[in-house]
Amino acid sequence: MTSTERSATPPRKTRQRAEIRSAVEALDGFATSQDIHDRMRHDGSAVGLATVYRTLAAMATAGELDAIRTPDGQVAYRTCSPGHHHHLVCRTCGRTEEITLPGLEAMVRTIASDHGFGELDHELEFFGICGSCSRP
Amino acid sequence: MTSTERSATPPRKTRQRAEIRSAVEALDGFATSQDIHDRMRHDGSAVGLATVYRTLAAMATAGELDAIRTPDGQVAYRTCSPGHHHHLVCRTCGRTEEITLPGLEAMVRTIASDHGFGELDHELEFFGICGSCSRP
DNA sequence: CTTTGTGCAAAGGCTTTGCATGCTT
DNA sequence: AAGCATGCAAAGCCTTTGCACAAAG
């Protein structure tokens, strides 16, 4: 059931995968698979949409990308340290800022293990109204 | 654009709406529109799925419910919790535990205002694997 | 009586999947 | 040569929407 593959075959090096990686790394914010596909086509590379979906999902699973869900339900990816920072998204203009919550990690880990939970996935995004939008 | 209705017509009192409200309030965790629809049918009430979707969305907009998105993209609702607590959801068995993150509120508020953000909506749910599921 | 809510079913949008072919190893 | 990766298109899934009827105010 659960993916307990011992050592999955390493991904093959293909032109598409390389281009997709470049496209994602060129982004500074979050982008959906379709956004990335568009960007790539605009950039001259021809890659199938399905491939973009598959590759991004795989990269996210491999921990190379972070994936979040936008309020309207789309999946957005971003290259970022799978490390410890989250995002503050303005739900009016969409502007995104990175934030760090010092101490949160430890706090959560403690509480989680306290409840017997493991493999904690801290999907943790904040949505608010940024200064420009709240002060007309 | 933004819903700045001065005082929209108050919602009418219908049997369906009452039943939907009961169903949602009877839940302790999160439930999708379909979950609630199932529960209701199981409970003997006949309400259209579309009505459940519409009603829950309306209640969420009205601030009577909180809505989050599960990792797999569905919208889940819960009755607005009076206090500041969040949830730890097992992504294998679905079991939900309430957790409190002492100090988080202040932490977030500080950081948010630091970035000029207001009306912070701290939708903050954790998904992990509970003890029973990780230890077969 | 007028207006909003409900039901059913079809449409919509994002994402996944099947299958044949191409390319990596 | 063998097998994963890719492409295309079709299918899937959750959710929304149109329209006619029933119910609330």
Side-chain angles (χ1 to χ4, degrees):
Chain A
M1 299 299 186
T2 35
S3 48
T4 317
E5 295 101 45
R6 47 214 89 207
S7 70
T9 312
R12 294 187 174 180
K13 283 162 182 302
T14 66
R15 191 203 80 233
Q16 292 86 340
R17 188 168 293 245
E19 293 182 356
I20 291 172
R21 174 161 312 196
S22 298
V24 183
E25 289 177 347
L27 297 165
D28 57 308
F30 284 96
T32 65
S33 300
Q34 305 203 27
D35 288 340
I36 292 171
H37 182 246
D38 284 350
R39 185 198 183 92
M40 291 179 70
R41 287 196 51 184
H42 194 262
D43 226 48
S45 59
V47 177
L49 179 58
T51 298
V52 175
Y53 270 97
R54 278 188 281 230
T55 304
L56 290 175
M59 291 175 76
T61 298
E64 298 177 44
L65 294 181
D66 256 357
I68 65 168
R69 303 203 75 105
T70 62
D72 61 305
Q74 294 176 237
V75 181
Y77 298 92
R78 166 174 187 162
T79 60
C80 66
S81 40
H84 308 314
H85 69 274
H86 306 286
H87 298 94
L88 190 50
V89 185
C90 175
R91 79 182 136 241
T92 297
C93 68
R95 173 174 153 192
T96 301
E97 309 222 6
E98 290 195 355
I99 58 176
T100 2
L101 262 28
L104 175 68
E105 299 304 321
M107 187 187 293
V108 174
R109 200 161 0 189
T110 301
I111 294 172
S113 70
D114 201 55
H115 286 258
F117 276 63
E119 300 196 26
L120 232 278
D121 191 357
H122 40 292
E123 300 228 341
L124 171 47
E125 308 299 327
F126 296 90
F127 297 91
I129 307 285
C130 79
S132 322
C133 293
S134 60
R135 295 287 177 184
Chain B
M1 301 299 183
T2 33
S3 49
T4 317
E5 295 102 46
R6 48 215 87 206
S7 70
T9 312
R12 293 186 177 180
K13 285 166 182 299
T14 67
R15 190 203 80 233
Q16 291 85 340
R17 188 168 294 244
E19 293 183 356
I20 291 172
R21 173 162 313 196
S22 300
V24 184
E25 290 177 348
L27 298 164
D28 58 306
F30 287 93
T32 65
S33 301
Q34 307 203 25
D35 288 340
I36 292 171
H37 182 247
D38 284 350
R39 186 200 183 90
M40 293 179 69
R41 286 196 53 184
H42 193 263
D43 226 48
S45 59
V47 177
L49 179 58
T51 298
V52 174
Y53 269 97
R54 279 188 282 229
T55 304
L56 290 176
M59 290 174 76
T61 299
E64 298 176 44
L65 295 181
D66 258 358
I68 66 165
R69 302 201 77 104
T70 62
D72 60 305
Q74 295 176 237
V75 181
Y77 299 91
R78 74 168 141 147
T79 58
C80 239
S81 52
H84 298 312
H85 68 275
H86 308 287
H87 295 92
L88 190 50
V89 186
C90 174
R91 76 182 139 240
T92 298
C93 68
R95 173 175 154 192
T96 301
E97 308 221 8
E98 291 196 352
I99 58 176
T100 2
L101 263 29
L104 175 68
E105 299 303 321
M107 187 187 291
V108 173
R109 200 163 358 192
T110 300
I111 294 172
S113 70
D114 201 55
H115 285 258
F117 276 63
E119 299 194 28
L120 231 278
D121 192 359
H122 42 292
E123 300 239 336
L124 172 47
E125 309 301 327
F126 298 90
F127 299 90
I129 308 285
C130 78
S132 322
C133 294
S134 59
R135 295 287 176 185

